[in-house]
Amino acid sequence: MFINFFRENVVASYVLFLIRLYLGYEWTVTGWQKITGGFDASGYLRGAVGKATGEHPAVQTWWAAFLEGFAIPNVGLFNILVPWGELLVGIALIAGTFTTFAALMAATMNFAFLLSGTTSTNPQMLLLILFVLIAGANAGKIGLDRWILSGIKNRLKKPNNSKETSYIN
């Protein structure tokens, strides 16, 4: 019943629209600030690895190993992926464009930040983005997904009008 409400109810689509606007604004602003402010993830990543020690570490050793073995050596890649990912996810959520995919990418970033020991607004944003993911297509009905997804669906259903070539005479 709860899931059907989020997936099919018109009122839910308006509530999800407001959630999308809030989350989209947050992602867009933080992404843009990083793009225009000379973002460098190296200090953040080293700080996260430092939180993997002690009696009650905030970062699990397997995640710290990933950060040390992959993220820190490829910090240049992360310096591009993080700010542009945040900006594009924000724009997609505001516009309601490929909303479910944008929500999945937002959740991925929230989980990565949480696994790195940063609480901040990530739990709240993750909880809200889960409602968007549960709603599926209904989350983007008040947005461009209304036309994009129906266009894709119609294109996939359309029979191929081209003449079939027969190899048998």
Side-chain angles (χ1 to χ4, degrees):
M1 182 171 156
F2 176 75
I3 291 174
N4 285 341
F5 171 77
F6 274 99
R7 288 181 171 243
E8 298 169 2
N9 190 287
V10 174
V11 174
S13 65
Y14 282 96
V15 171
L16 291 161
F17 171 66
L18 295 175
I19 290 171
R20 278 190 10 243
L21 286 181
Y22 165 72
L23 292 172
Y25 174 81
E26 292 294 321
W27 283 115
T28 301
V29 168
T30 57
W32 185 248
Q33 287 172 345
K34 287 175 181 158
I35 290 167
T36 60
F39 175 71
D40 183 12
S42 58
Y44 176 80
L45 295 171
R46 282 194 288 279
V49 171
K51 295 178 186 177
T53 59
E55 191 173 323
H56 300 288
V59 176
Q60 298 295 308
T61 54
W62 65 269
W63 185 254
F66 165 75
L67 295 177
E68 279 183 311
F70 183 75
I72 292 173
N74 297 295
V75 72
L77 175 65
F78 284 87
N79 288 340
I80 295 168
L81 288 178
V82 171
W84 283 101
E86 289 177 353
L87 179 70
L88 293 173
V89 160
I91 292 169
L93 287 172
I94 289 170
T97 308
F98 299 109
T99 305
T100 305
F101 181 73
L104 180 62
M105 294 301 101
T108 301
M109 287 189 288
N110 283 132
F111 275 121
F113 298 146
L114 286 167
L115 288 169
S116 298
T118 302
T119 307
S120 185
T121 59
N122 289 302
Q124 165 192 311
M125 291 176 75
L126 185 58
L127 179 62
L128 291 173
I129 211 69
L130 287 176
F131 289 122
V132 175
L133 285 170
I134 289 168
N138 199 32
K141 277 193 178 161
I142 301 173
L144 296 178
D145 275 351
R146 174 184 217 118
W147 295 281
I148 292 171
L149 295 182
S150 65
I152 291 171
K153 200 181 290 185
N154 289 339
R155 193 170 276 268
L156 291 175
K157 285 182 181 177
K158 226 180 232 184
N160 187 357
N161 291 333
S162 64
K163 295 180 182 178
E164 291 185 35
T165 306
S166 175
Y167 295 103
I168 303 172
N169 290 329

